[in-house]
Amino acid sequence: MTDYVDWIRRQISAQTDSLAPDDFAMIPTTRGLSAIVDRQFSDVVSQYRWFAVRAQPEHIYAVADIEGRRIALPRLVLTLASLGKNVDDFKHVSFKNKISFDCRLSNLEYRVGRQAVMRNRKPKRNTSSQYKGVMRAKRTDGSIYWRGQIKGNDGTMSLGSFEDEVWAATVYDAAAYLLFGGAGYSNFPDQAPSIEALDIARARIERFRNRRRLKNGSAETS
């Protein structure tokens, strides 16, 4: 991880050397790293304390706790640049140059096109969703929602209920990464796990394991 942090630091330094000073601002984070943002967004972004958070063994993001939620810096930048949008509209963000601390608007890609295709694709045969680990469900009022689940070495665990099918699949991918690393199936193999999805999946996995430990402990004492 230290080598990757050093690599990020070198890449950011190389990027800033090629940019006009008036076009960007540096946002300090933990781990001694700084993220690049467009100058126009710096006043808002700099109001928050930013953390360099590990999402994969060799992938970290800049995130901050904003109004009780953990928000990734690229999602905030896209929100600031998009009138009438909020951070929930930007769940699948990637970086054109693969540098996760280069959060300039020109370097961010929101893969709405691919999501639109996936949303309109016909479901796989004999499944209720087009995504692995996602099941269609219906409430008593007839409205539709999506349930996520994943099978690990400890058994099958629930990942929660979601209004959005794509987001349920994203949480499944995060859980697969936490449980199996690169060996796990991914609905979106070209995208790094979402920070928010990782938080949800991690909490669900821990909840499942705690319940299992309590159940096994009760069985041993009975």
Side-chain angles (χ1 to χ4, degrees), residues 2-23:
T2 300
D3 291 342
Y4 183 69
V5 171
D6 289 340
W7 180 86
I8 286 285
R9 188 177 292 113
R10 292 194 300 271
Q11 295 300 315
I12 290 298
S13 177
Q15 289 293 320
T16 56
D17 286 346
S18 66
L19 299 175
D22 292 339
D23 291 342

Side-chain angles (χ1 to χ4, degrees), residues 51-65:
F51 302 88
V53 175
R54 175 178 174 175
Q56 296 183 26
E58 292 191 351
H59 204 99
I60 53 179
Y61 288 101
V63 303
D65 294 320

